[in-house]
């Protein structure tokens, strides 16, 4: 035995939604479920929107800006149409840019930290452990990647698109709220928005 931590044999895909006030929702995708556009639309309708009504009512009426990665399920016409119907704006995420996603450069590293070295025997144990980790991060105010987003994007603009950080993992969805949209867009610059 070499003393190194053992890894759990199972994997769980999560969709995590957060804004500058912390995590709004975390959702474990069921086993053997493909997280395709149809599933993602159902998630938005049946999980995210109700969670926003309960936890961030102002976002439902203020038409939030959504940032999610370029996964096919996020960029599909059905998803874009749904968000357009709700009058939610999509902040386009440049391709191959995990260094510009708050989930990648901030949240998932913090979620994984307390779980390292622990072996989970069931999917339920793993989901509960991840849920606890996410709740603790949110409660402690450490889900602050969205606050840093304008500065991160400005660094990328200054480096003409070169990567600034390399910390890649699965990404989730981020809601950008309470950031003055006009100043946010000025900070991003026209280079990003095309």
């Amino acid at each position: 035995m070499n003393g190194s931590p053992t890894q759990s044999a199972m994997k769980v895909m999560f969709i995590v939604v957060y804004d500058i006030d912390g995590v709004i929702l975390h959702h474990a995708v069921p086993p053997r479920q493909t997280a395709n556009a149809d599933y993602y639309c159902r998630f938005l309708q049946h999980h995210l929107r109700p969670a926003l009504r309960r936890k961030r009512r102002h976002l439902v009426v203020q038409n939030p800006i959504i940032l999610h990665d370029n996964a096919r399920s996020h960029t599909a016409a059905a998803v874009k149409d749904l968000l357009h119907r709700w009058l939610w704006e999509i902040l386009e995420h440049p391709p191959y840019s995990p260094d510009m996603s708050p989930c990648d450069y901030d949240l998932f590293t913090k979620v994984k930290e307390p779980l390292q070295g622990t072996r989970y025997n069931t999917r339920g144990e793993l989901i509960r452990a991840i849920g606890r980790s996410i709740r603790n991060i949110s409660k402690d105010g450490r889900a602050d990647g969205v606050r840093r987003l304008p500065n991160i994007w400005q660094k990328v603009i200054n480096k003409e698109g070169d990567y600034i950080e390399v910390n890649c993992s699965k990404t989730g969805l981020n809601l950008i709220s309470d950031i003055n949209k006009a100043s946010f867009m000025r900070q991003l610059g026209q280079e990003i928005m095309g």
Side-chain angles (χ1 to χ4, degrees), residues 89 91-94 100 150 153-154 156-158 160-161 181-194:
E89 184 176 340
L91 180 60
E92 297 295 332
H93 188 283
M100 297 171 67
W153 281 43
Q154 187 62 53
V156 172
I157 290 169
N158 293 345
E160 298 177 357
K181 182 178 171 185
S183 67
F184 183 64
M185 297 312 284
R186 273 195 304 278
Q187 286 183 12
L188 291 181
Q190 294 302 317
E191 299 92 330
I192 296 290
M193 298 311 292

Side-chain angles (χ1 to χ4, degrees), residues 90-105:
I90 300 170
L91 180 60
E92 297 295 332
H93 188 283
Y96 312 111
S97 301
D99 52 341
M100 297 171 67
S101 170
C103 285
D104 285 329
Y105 67 73

Side-chain angles (χ1 to χ4, degrees), residues 166-183:
V166 277
N167 180 13
C168 302
S169 62
K170 296 268 185 215
T171 59
L173 176 100
N174 308 297
L175 286 170
I176 301 171
S177 68
D178 301 333
I179 295 176
N180 179 296
K181 182 178 171 185
S183 67

